[in-house]
Amino acid sequence: MTAASQVIVNDTHDPTAVEPLEGAAVRDFHRGLPGYEPTPLLDLPMIAERLGAARVSVKDESSRLGLPAFKILGASWAVAREVDRRLGGAGLRTVDELREAVAAQTVSLSRLTTLVAATDGNHGRAVARMAALLGLSAIILVPRDMVPARIDAIASEGAEVIVHDGDYDETVRRAATMDSDTHAVIADTAWPGYDEVPRWVVEGYATIANEVLEQLSAQNIPAPTVVVVQVGVGSFAASMVRSFAPTGARMIASEPVSADCLAPSIAAGTPTHSSGTIDSIMAGLNCGEISPIAWPTLQAGVQSAVTVTDDGARDAMRLFARAGVESGESGAAGLAALLAQPGLVRSDDHVLLISTEGITDPVAYAEIVGAIRAEVSA
């Protein structure tokens, strides 16, 4: 029997302890990437009415720099910083400058040749895209239950894909062993002795928040009062908490009931491994452990943690579709949290949802959403 959604209120949260995230340098870097433009920020009154909120804004990350998810923002910044570090640390460099530096390496046993990542889909594809842009190879490890469409998408970037006989957390540990002078591991979670790259990943996601605040300001709309963030390993959530908690927004976290590492951690007051089966359709959130660098931020900044069912994610995908948004399973998890726990929203709230991915599994999306027509108001 599937566990029901639950909400854990964080009685010890302290937003004043959250370190604000400055993203100016990151945003400048992203502006230099091929095809950069801000993703849409949508006003969706249909969903606001359903939730009983004054306004619902949705940041639509279904097409970010030519990829169907937001992950390229964290991956590109982390890859750029790590490649620069390995090539002598000349400072912040553009993609063109980094590609030239990679090509100019002397032939030796320590020559950087390959980027390595473990992934549940979107992060690995983003790392593979960056490898191709820089003239490097990529090896992407995926867990045994990865659907073929996501494997094919990673391989389409020119990467070697290795299916590891384990879940996501076990696949991360296998990838970690591949780090060497020639192979750079680009992970979005940390472990003892490895935290610099995942910190850069957190920084990279700040561009989403910077765009949101600029887009709202351009319309003379105040910052959101509620921000819902999806939690996998916690890097994305930590970035959004550091970006929006200092503005006074109430931060609500969403994660699958079968991969709930944040909610029990908040309840226990210490990082706690999920007791779930780690097999949600929300593949991007199938993580059993919170990243150590994300945990302090989430413990301080998240007001409530909500666990959501796969059926809840399906319902949220359908509601998004009726509103004209193509949102994948993980992308719809934030909306699923508020549909499951409507008491978290007040009638005067301006809610920000971030649809973190579009259609990454076309077969599953068609089965879930079907022929729903968007009910977009004129």
Side-chain angles (χ1 to χ4, degrees), residues 93-125:
R93 293 191 258 193
T94 66
V95 168
D96 289 342
E97 291 168 341
L98 285 169
R99 184 169 56 248
E100 291 174 2
V102 167
Q105 293 180 96
T106 58
V107 177
S108 69
L109 293 177
S110 62
R111 186 176 188 271
L112 177 62
T113 63
T114 307
L115 302 182
V116 178
T119 187
D120 44 30
N122 295 323
H123 174 71
R125 186 175 180 185

Side-chain angles (χ1 to χ4, degrees), residues 7-349:
V7 57
I8 301 296
V9 176
N10 184 8
D11 294 326
T12 62
H13 87 287
D14 179 12
T16 64
V18 174
E19 179 185 3
L21 188 58
E22 299 296 335
V26 175
R27 182 75 184 282
D28 288 343
F29 172 79
H30 285 146
R31 284 190 175 113
L33 292 176
Y36 169 79
E37 61 180 357
T39 53
L41 182 68
L42 308 173
D43 177 25
L44 297 183
M46 174 197 301
I47 294 181
E49 182 178 1
R50 174 69 177 273
L51 297 177
R55 174 185 290 270
V56 169
S57 297
V58 176
K59 186 66 166 163
D60 183 359
E61 293 290 314
S62 61
S63 181
R64 170 66 80 171
L65 289 164
L67 296 176
F70 74 106
K71 290 281 191 173
I72 187 67
L73 294 175
S76 62
W77 180 246
V79 166
R81 296 298 303 270
E82 177 64 1
V83 170
D84 176 70
R85 184 187 71 80
R86 287 183 177 236
L87 299 185
L92 298 180
R93 293 191 258 193
T94 66
V95 168
D96 289 342
E97 291 168 341
L98 285 169
R99 184 169 56 248
E100 291 174 2
V102 167
Q105 293 180 96
T106 58
V107 177
S108 69
L109 293 177
S110 62
R111 186 176 188 271
L112 177 62
T113 63
T114 307
L115 302 182
V116 178
T119 187
D120 44 30
N122 295 323
H123 174 71
R125 186 175 180 185
V127 170
R129 173 67 61 88
M130 286 302 298
L133 285 174
L134 297 179
L136 293 166
S137 299
I139 298 174
I140 308 300
L141 287 78
V142 303
R144 59 183 170 230
D145 59 352
M146 177 77 76
V147 299
R150 295 187 178 111
I151 293 176
D152 292 345
I154 296 169
S156 75
E157 304 292 340
E160 176 187 354
V161 181
I162 298 174
V163 179
H164 180 65
D165 187 21
D167 62 19
Y168 171 77
D169 298 309
E170 292 165 338
T171 304
V172 168
R173 288 189 280 273
R174 174 66 183 91
T177 67
M178 299 177 68
D179 196 61
S180 68
D181 288 343
T182 59
H183 288 55
V185 172
I186 307 296
D188 58 358
T189 188
W191 53 83
Y194 181 90
D195 62 9
E196 194 167 32
V197 169
R199 289 185 192 280
W200 289 329
V201 171
V202 170
E203 291 176 3
Y205 296 147
T207 288
I208 293 175
N210 288 339
E211 289 179 2
V212 166
L213 295 173
E214 288 176 4
Q215 289 166 319
L216 290 174
S217 177
Q219 301 176 66
N220 294 315
I221 298 172
T225 58
V226 172
V227 178
V228 188
V229 293
Q230 291 91 322
V231 177
V233 295
S235 296
F236 167 70
S239 182
M240 296 302 99
V241 167
R242 291 178 61 187
S243 297
F244 287 108
T247 71
R250 304 196 311 278
M251 304 300 302
I252 298 172
S254 175
E255 60 186 346
V257 294
S258 59
D260 57 338
C261 47
L262 180 61
S265 297
I266 287 176
T270 189
T272 302
H273 195 284
S274 173
S275 60
T277 50
I278 321 295
D279 59 357
S280 169
I281 64 167
M282 294 166 272
L285 309 180
N286 269 333
C287 310
E289 303 173 5
I290 285 288
S291 173
I293 65 169
W295 165 244
T297 294
L298 300 180
Q299 184 183 33
V302 168
Q303 187 174 83
S304 301
V306 179
T307 61
V308 297
T309 65
D310 284 357
D311 281 345
R314 293 184 181 101
D315 288 342
M317 291 170 68
R318 296 183 189 110
L319 180 55
F320 264 142
R322 286 194 290 272
V325 178
E326 291 184 339
S327 185
E329 297 87 341
S330 298
L335 175 56
L338 298 187
L339 294 174
Q341 303 291 340
L344 294 174
V345 176
R346 301 192 293 251
S347 60
D348 60 345
D349 274 327

